[in-house]
Amino acid sequence: MPLPRIGVVIVTMGTRPRELDALLASVGKQGVPAARVVLVGNATPLTDVTTDATKIPLDENPGCPGGRNVGLELLRASDDVDVVVELDDDGLLIADDVFYEPELVLRHPRTSPARHAAHYRFTARNRVWLTRRRLPVLLIPVHLGVWVFLSMARMRSLSGARAWWGGFAEGARTPCGPRKPMKWRTVWRMTRLGRPPIL
């Protein structure tokens, strides 16, 4: 029985070049090589990365899942892989038989996404965008005001607060996509169910 053809998607924001180089090297050292490796650059041009992988530099940062999906679409369209391995740029394959080790169990250490300043920035930006797109105009300042108060009350990091306010400003001044606000009937129903859209 032939081995499955492995496709690898690696997503990077270009902020960890040493770790990315080590990961690419560890992928290349696998006993059975990957049929195709795709490197997706979330808002990074990938010009400083030397690799035989297919590079896909994105102008925007769609987040890790969005970047992964771009790579998966490319692999799907190529139709030359059976199994896909998705890796973050700070991953490392510590053995040369990782792709084909049936006993292997992968675990990510218990860590909070709040350890990265980008977490605060994207959370704030995305919340502002979502609020601008989905809430009636009269509720936008109420919702954002309550959310600012709660977020700042919970904030434990000065660098996180700076990143959060940067994301908030970005969400307020950049396009949020097409507006499709919920109807007031929906607002009332959510409120009756104990989930008023101001929290």
Side-chain angles (χ1 to χ4, degrees):
M1 181 171 153
L3 291 171
R5 300 167 298 171
I6 302 293
V8 178
V9 176
I10 300 171
V11 180
T12 183
M13 293 191 328
T15 57
R16 298 186 276 229
R18 282 190 321 227
E19 292 89 342
L20 177 60
D21 287 343
L23 174 60
L24 288 166
S26 70
V27 168
K29 290 178 184 172
Q30 292 301 300
V32 179
R36 186 180 296 258
V37 178
V38 176
L39 178 62
V40 180
N42 279 354
T44 187
L46 300 175
T47 52
D48 296 338
V49 181
T50 304
T51 180
D52 293 330
T54 302
K55 295 181 187 178
I56 306 175
L58 302 177
D59 294 332
E60 306 259 330
N61 182 349
C64 196
R68 177 199 62 221
N69 290 343
V70 169
L72 291 176
E73 286 297 319
L74 182 98
L75 288 176
R76 192 173 107 194
S78 70
D79 199 31
D80 60 357
V81 299
D82 303 308
V83 177
V84 175
V85 177
E86 190 264 323
L87 300 166
D88 192 26
D89 63 358
D90 64 347
L92 184 64
L93 306 177
I94 59 173
D96 63 4
D97 60 353
V98 172
F99 293 160
Y100 301 100
E101 177 53 56
E103 303 295 318
L104 182 69
V105 176
L106 297 176
R107 292 195 175 102
H108 192 282
R110 287 183 189 248
T111 56
S112 166
R115 70 190 187 281
H116 301 297
H119 163 77
Y120 293 105
R121 181 175 148 242
F122 293 141
T123 297
R125 182 199 65 188
N126 294 348
R127 173 64 71 107
V128 174
W129 280 350
L130 183 64
T131 302
R132 289 174 54 205
R133 278 198 310 253
R134 300 296 293 149
L135 287 184
V137 172
L138 295 175
L139 288 184
I140 292 174
V142 176
H143 176 88
L144 292 177
V146 169
W147 186 63
V148 165
F149 174 77
L150 292 174
S151 296
M152 290 302 104
R154 296 176 185 148
M155 189 66 61
R156 300 288 178 255
S157 159
L158 184 58
S159 63
R162 277 196 300 271
W164 189 95
W165 281 108
F168 188 92
E170 182 182 352
R173 73 173 177 265
T174 59
C176 65
R179 255 185 73 69
K180 273 185 73 176
M182 66 177 67
K183 297 181 179 349
W184 283 102
R185 179 178 57 210
T186 305
V187 171
W188 175 241
R189 184 169 185 217
M190 289 175 69
T191 303
R192 279 192 347 246
L193 293 172
R195 294 298 307 236
I198 59 167
L199 298 177

